[in-house]
């Protein structure tokens, strides 16, 4: 581990020197890439330097204690310094193990979230809307930007399906564990007998792909226009501004009708298409690496039931890590950090265990 840390610090200093080079500064692409690498290495180098400072402090205190001749009060001060540095070394060592874990290359990307009502009809659609509200409120808490890309509503205010983008630092790193089946247990507003119903909603979180991530051949696309329609089928505009794109080689279909401009709808649809194709390509790679797949809490299987929201008990349960919380309303209002932090910690623990094998 320490050989790796020495090399990391050396690379960090190399980048610092390059960032002062006028030739590098005048090259936007090279400067951007170096700044990105510098940002990723900074927490590792800072923690390693903390570790070394604590080690130096402990060794200095140890020497003073071994030499002896200290009065009682000063000896206590030196012993406290020794103990504090020893604890700091242990803490920094554990943090460094986590910082050195292979980083998901998508963690800094923006995301596209797709939510679809599953089993449960109108009740599932209403809960799909609740989940969209939860994620948009979480994005707001984080200072991220949320934008609807495509929306298909029901007459009662539910959502058959919705696609939206979330832009912000670390968006994918925080939201990637949300992919899967979300189950809700509650008494529907349409249920006169007051019986608790169980419905499901599927969530997919895709890292937003850039043009450099995936190349799409225009000849592989079939693009159709149609009139956008709202809940109940009424036309919400009179021109054919809605866009449907078929990627012929894969059969992936994307629609966007949220904007009145055909060009804006096409841009949004292409953004979703790129991200879906990028995710599909990544899934192929992940399937080839069985050990890597084992060392994950779960970030992609949309058929996996990951969480239950039980309204009568005010309970949220994440089945992957056995976490149960009893402040459901707070969670649905966008307070998700407790859940997400627990998922990230569990994922790190699995990866550490895999590294140790």
């Amino acid at each position: 581990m320490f050989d790796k840390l020495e090399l990391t610090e050396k690379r960090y200093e190399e980048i610092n020197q390059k960032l002062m080079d006028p030739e590098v500064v005048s090259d936007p692409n090279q400067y951007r890439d170096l700044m990105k690498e510098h940002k990723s290495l900074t927490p590792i180098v800072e923690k390693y330097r903390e570790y070394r400072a604590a080690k130096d402090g402990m060794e200095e205190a140890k020497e003073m204690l071994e030499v002896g001749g200290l009065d009682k009060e000063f000896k206590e001060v030196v012993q406290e310094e020794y103990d504090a540095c020893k604890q700091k070394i242990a803490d920094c060592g554990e943090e460094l193990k986590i910082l050195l874990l292979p980083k998901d290359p998508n963690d800094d990307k923006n995301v596209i979230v797709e939510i679809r009502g599953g089993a449960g009809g109108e009740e599932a659609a209403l809960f799909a809307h609740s989940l969209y509200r939860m994620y948009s409120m979480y994005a707001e808490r984080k200072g991220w930007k949320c934008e609807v890309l495509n929306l298909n509503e029901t007459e009662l205010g539910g959502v058959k399906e919705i696609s939206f983008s979330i832009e912000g630092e670390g968006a994918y790193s925080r939201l990637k564990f949300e992919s899967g089946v979300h189950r809700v247990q509650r008494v529907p507003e349409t249920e006169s007998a007051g019986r608790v119903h169980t419905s499901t909603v599927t969530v997919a979180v895709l890292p937003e792909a850039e043009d450099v991530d995936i190349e799409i051949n225009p000849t592989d696309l079939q693009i159709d226009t149609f009139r956008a329609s709202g809940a109940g089928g009424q036309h919400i505009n009179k021109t054919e501004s809605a866009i449907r794109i078929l990627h012929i080689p894969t059969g992936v279909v994307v629609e966007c009708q949220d904007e009145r401009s055909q060009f804006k709808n096409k841009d949004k649809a292409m953004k979703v298409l790129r991200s879906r194709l990028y995710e599909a390509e990544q899934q192929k790679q992940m399937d080839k690496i069985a050990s890597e797949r084992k060392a994950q809490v779960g970030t992609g299987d949309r058929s996996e039931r990951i969480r239950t929201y039980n309204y009568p008990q005010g309970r949220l349960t994440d089945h992957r890590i056995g976490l149960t919380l009893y402040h459901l309303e707070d969670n649905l209002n966008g307070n998700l950090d407790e859940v997400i932090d627990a998922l990230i910690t569990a994922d790190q623990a699995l990866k550490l265990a895999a590294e140790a094998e």
Side-chain angles (χ1 to χ4, degrees):
M1 181 173 89
F2 293 102
D3 288 343
K4 192 172 181 180
L5 287 166
E6 290 290 342
L7 290 171
T8 301
E9 187 176 37
K10 186 179 178 183
R11 174 60 182 162
Y12 181 78
E13 291 301 335
E14 282 177 10
I15 293 171
N16 279 335
Q17 292 299 316
K18 286 183 178 180
L19 289 172
M20 291 187 284
D21 185 337
E23 285 188 21
V24 172
V25 174
S26 62
D27 182 344
N29 290 334
Q30 189 180 2
Y31 186 77
R32 182 199 63 219
D33 292 344
L34 285 170
M35 282 298 295
K36 190 175 180 181
E37 188 179 357
H38 184 274
K39 184 181 176 183
S40 69
L41 295 181
T42 297
I44 301 172
V45 173
E46 287 180 349
K47 190 57 64 177
Y48 181 43
R49 288 173 177 173
E50 269 186 57
Y51 175 91
R52 280 204 314 235
K55 193 173 181 184
D56 291 344
M58 188 182 82
E59 287 175 356
E60 187 180 333
K62 184 182 178 183
E63 282 179 21
M64 293 174 71
L65 290 169
E66 286 175 348
V67 168
L70 307 175
D71 64 53
K72 185 181 178 183
E73 283 188 19
F74 188 55
K75 185 178 180 181
E76 286 177 359
V77 171
V78 175
Q79 184 64 51
E80 285 177 7
E81 177 68 14
Y82 176 85
D83 293 340
C85 287
K86 187 176 181 181
Q87 184 59 50
K88 183 77 171 173
I89 288 170
D91 293 342
C92 286
E94 290 303 310
E95 289 177 58
L96 283 167
K97 285 179 187 176
I98 292 170
L99 287 168
L100 287 172
L101 285 172
K103 193 178 178 188
D104 186 331
N106 293 317
D107 274 354
D108 293 327
K109 289 184 181 288
N110 300 323
V111 300
I112 289 175
V113 184
E114 298 180 333
I115 301 175
R116 289 181 176 83
E122 186 63 44
E123 172 61 10
L126 289 168
F127 187 61
H129 181 272
S130 298
L131 286 185
Y132 164 65
R133 177 179 175 273
M134 177 179 79
Y135 291 126
S136 60
M137 291 180 78
Y138 181 66
E140 189 178 339
R141 284 171 181 254
K142 289 292 184 186
W144 298 338
K145 180 186 173 186
C146 185
E147 181 185 15
V148 173
L149 302 175
N150 193 44
L151 172 62
N152 188 347
E153 295 178 289
T154 66
E155 291 183 1
L156 296 181
V159 170
K160 290 180 183 177
E161 58 181 319
I162 183 171
S163 300
F164 56 99
S165 64
I166 294 180
E167 298 178 11
E169 187 173 343
Y172 185 74
S173 70
R174 302 290 297 169
L175 293 171
K176 61 184 177 182
F177 299 111
E178 295 301 300
S179 288
V181 176
H182 295 241
R183 183 175 70 169
V184 61
Q185 295 172 325
R186 65 181 178 184
V187 178
E189 293 175 18
T190 53
E191 172 59 55
S192 57
R195 293 173 297 180
V196 174
H197 283 224
T198 298
S199 304
T200 61
V201 170
T202 61
V203 175
V205 179
L206 318 176
E208 187 178 308
E210 299 168 15
D211 291 340
V212 294
D213 293 326
I214 190 149
E215 190 176 328
I216 298 176
N217 188 335
T219 60
D220 289 339
L221 302 178
Q222 178 183 314
I223 301 175
D224 299 312
T225 59
F226 60 98
R227 289 186 181 181
S229 61
Q234 74 271 23
H235 291 297
I236 54 176
N237 66 48
K238 296 178 181 179
T239 60
E240 294 196 342
S241 61
I243 292 287
R244 182 183 295 110
I245 301 177
L246 165 65
H247 185 248
I248 298 166
T250 60
V252 173
V253 177
V254 176
E255 289 184 4
C256 188
Q257 59 176 351
D258 199 55
E259 298 283 350
R260 289 188 177 274
S261 160
Q262 187 181 111
F263 297 106
K264 286 183 180 179
N265 280 328
K266 185 180 176 183
D267 284 345
K268 286 185 174 183
M270 285 299 296
K271 183 188 284 190
V272 176
L273 178 63
R274 271 196 301 271
S275 296
R276 284 198 196 167
L277 295 176
Y278 179 62
E279 187 217 22
E281 190 60 37
Q282 281 198 308
Q283 194 64 49
K284 284 182 192 173
Q285 295 171 13
M286 285 172 64
D287 289 344
K288 292 177 184 176
I289 310 170
S291 59
E292 174 73 10
R293 195 171 176 84
K294 287 175 188 173
Q296 288 182 345
V297 167
T299 59
D301 187 351
R302 296 180 203 175
S303 64
E304 177 189 8
R305 190 191 73 192
I306 63 167
R307 194 175 296 153
T308 295
Y309 305 77
N310 185 294
Y311 276 67
Q313 298 174 16
R315 168 173 60 82
L316 179 151
T317 299
D318 196 287
H319 304 290
R320 294 164 294 180
I321 56 174
L323 174 71
T324 297
L325 304 173
Y326 285 94
H327 36 81
L328 180 60
E329 186 176 349
D330 198 26
N331 298 138
L332 290 168
N333 284 331
N335 188 359
L336 290 174
D337 276 333
E338 187 176 358
V339 185
I340 290 171
D341 286 342
L343 287 162
I344 290 172
T345 300
D347 187 57
Q348 288 171 344
L350 284 171
K351 286 177 179 174
L352 283 169
E355 291 262 314
E357 287 177 1

